[in-house]
Amino acid sequence: MGKMFAAVTLGIAIPFLAMASTYEVNIKDHRFDPTTLTIPAGERVKLMVNNLDPTVEEFEGENFDVEKIIPGKSKAAVFVGPLEPGEYEFIGEFHRDTAKGKLIVE
Amino acid sequence: MLGTAVIVFREVLEAALIVSILMAATAGVRSRNVWVGTGVLLGLGAAFGVALFAGEIAGAFQGVGQELFNATVLLTAVTMLAWHNIWMSQHSKKIVAHLKEVGAQISGGSLPLGYLTITAGLAVMREGSEVVLFMYGVAAGDSSPVEMLSGGLLGAAGGVAVGSLLYLGLVRIPVKWLFRVTGWIILLLAAGLAASAAGYLSQAGLLPSQAPLWNTGDILSEKSVIGQLLHILIGYQARPTAIQVAFYLATMALIGAGMKWIGREPGRRLQQVS
Ligand SMILES: [Cu+2]
């Protein structure tokens, strides 16, 4: 049943996921690198968040709705958008003093 | 330390609110303490399990395993809450009648109390796993263990305290009104959870992604204390999409219809008896 669920899930998920272009962002010493990403407006994009720290982080949009736990020393895909042109802030919820970043949508 | 306390407080409060509402909604049902308590304990155990396998969960299904996991947990909780509300709409009159007799408590009757365990367990597991992961992270990081522990305890105590205050506030309401009030709260809570689940399904790519219908983030941020409370209690979202609003309304309509449909007949029968 697990396999069937996986097949069905992926079958539905892939069409949506395949279209997204990918951007990479690292977390190192509780900071994002780069701190600013420029992405296209009106499009769903994929952010590969690579947490290089040994500690867990939660990738969270301040004024857009994304929330995802990224365990230490691991990568996770975060899907964002479609967003209107403008500036959007994201933070590392667990280190909000240092982990700050910005999406520039244009 | 304060940072740790705030994060732990937020997570614990989310779970505590759900547990409080469950406790208030089943006032007078014997052995509910045991069922809810078991759920909380199982949830705590499961939280450590989820935290341990967080990496594997996140990596599953092409990296969207975490979203699918969250959506599944939320939708299961919605089902359990729907079940509760529909059952209570049939039996609350009976419970109220018994509660009026001094010292008389009825047993759960045919209420399958296992749903209390599952709902409480799921809430504690979801929020608890975040706390465990976070605390583990802090421990592996730079903070001193004393600061971390005191911050964590402070946060957990605060979350439980606010949850208990809500519970005490709810049980102060005369029993006749209690079930009506908690019924409404659970209805809104379930609708909000369903909308959150829809959000995770969109994030995972299982539902189409949409631009939000409106944005009230400037008026009331979801991150503010009031926004946070309203988010948990009635599913307030500053930027909901059409799909999320549809999930919200459909859940309310389905549970509401179930309550009406089930609740009608026994009520009439009871009135005839008394
Ligand atoms: Cu949470």
Side-chain angles (χ1 to χ4, degrees), chain B residues 118-175:
Chain B
I118 299 173
T119 316
L122 287 175
V124 172
M125 174 183 79
R126 210 178 99 76
E127 308 309 334
S129 62
E130 288 181 25
V131 174
V132 174
L133 267 172
F134 171 67
M135 294 300 264
Y136 172 77
V138 177
D142 14 57
S143 281
S144 86
V146 178
E147 279 210 348
M148 176 197 108
L149 216 71
S150 45
L153 286 177
L154 194 68
V160 171
V162 175
S164 314
L165 281 178
L166 183 91
Y167 169 70
L168 292 173
L170 280 174
V171 292
R172 278 270 186 83
I173 302 170
V175 264

Side-chain angles (χ1 to χ4, degrees), chain A residues 16 44 55-56 60-61 68-69, chain B residues 63 66-67 137 202 205 209 223:
Chain A
F16 289 110
R44 183 185 182 81
T55 58
V56 69
E60 190 173 319
K68 184 152 182 164
I69 301 264
Chain B
Q66 191 183 115
E67 286 86 345
S202 291
S209 53
K223 322 270 172 189

Side-chain angles (χ1 to χ4, degrees), chain B residues 1-2 4-16 44 131 135 148-164:
Chain B
M1 186 195 99
L2 208 62
T4 308
V6 168
I7 286 170
V8 174
F9 172 74
R10 218 186 78 175
E11 305 295 348
V12 171
L13 180 63
E14 280 183 57
L44 282 175
V131 174
M135 294 300 264
M148 176 197 108
L149 216 71
S150 45
L153 286 177
L154 194 68
V160 171
V162 175
S164 314

Side-chain angles (χ1 to χ4, degrees), chain A residues 5-6 9-10 12 14 16-17 30 44 55-56 60-69 71 79 81-82 93-94, chain B residues 7 10 54-55 61-64 66-68 133-134 137 141-142 200 202-206 208-209 222-223 239:
Chain A
F5 175 68
T9 309
L10 292 181
I12 307 168
I14 282 171
F16 289 110
L17 301 185
H30 313 313
R44 183 185 182 81
T55 58
V56 69
E60 190 173 319
E62 282 279 73
N63 47 355
F64 62 103
D65 291 311
V66 166
E67 220 181 277
K68 184 152 182 164
I69 301 264
F79 289 88
E93 165 73 30
F94 295 159
Chain B
I7 286 170
R10 218 186 78 175
F61 301 112
Q62 291 204 328
V64 294
Q66 191 183 115
E67 286 86 345
L68 295 180
L133 267 172
F134 171 67
D142 14 57
Y200 280 117
S202 291
Q203 211 178 308
L206 277 174
S209 53
E222 264 174 66
K223 322 270 172 189
R239 288 169 299 273

Side-chain angles (χ1 to χ4, degrees), chain A residues 20-76:
Chain A
S21 41
T22 304
Y23 298 80
E24 297 214 13
V25 58
N26 289 329
I27 300 172
K28 178 102 180 73
D29 300 325
H30 313 313
R31 282 169 208 282
F32 290 110
D33 175 41
T35 48
T36 307
L37 289 167
T38 305
I39 63 167
E43 235 178 77
R44 183 185 182 81
V45 302
K46 179 178 177 179
L47 304 182
M48 276 309 297
V49 184
N50 188 8
N51 186 359
L52 301 168
D53 288 337
T55 58
V56 69
E57 191 53 273
E58 183 171 31
F59 184 93
E60 190 173 319
E62 282 279 73
N63 47 355
F64 62 103
D65 291 311
V66 166
E67 220 181 277
K68 184 152 182 164
I69 301 264
I70 324 277
K73 297 275 176 217
S74 65
K75 272 188 188 191

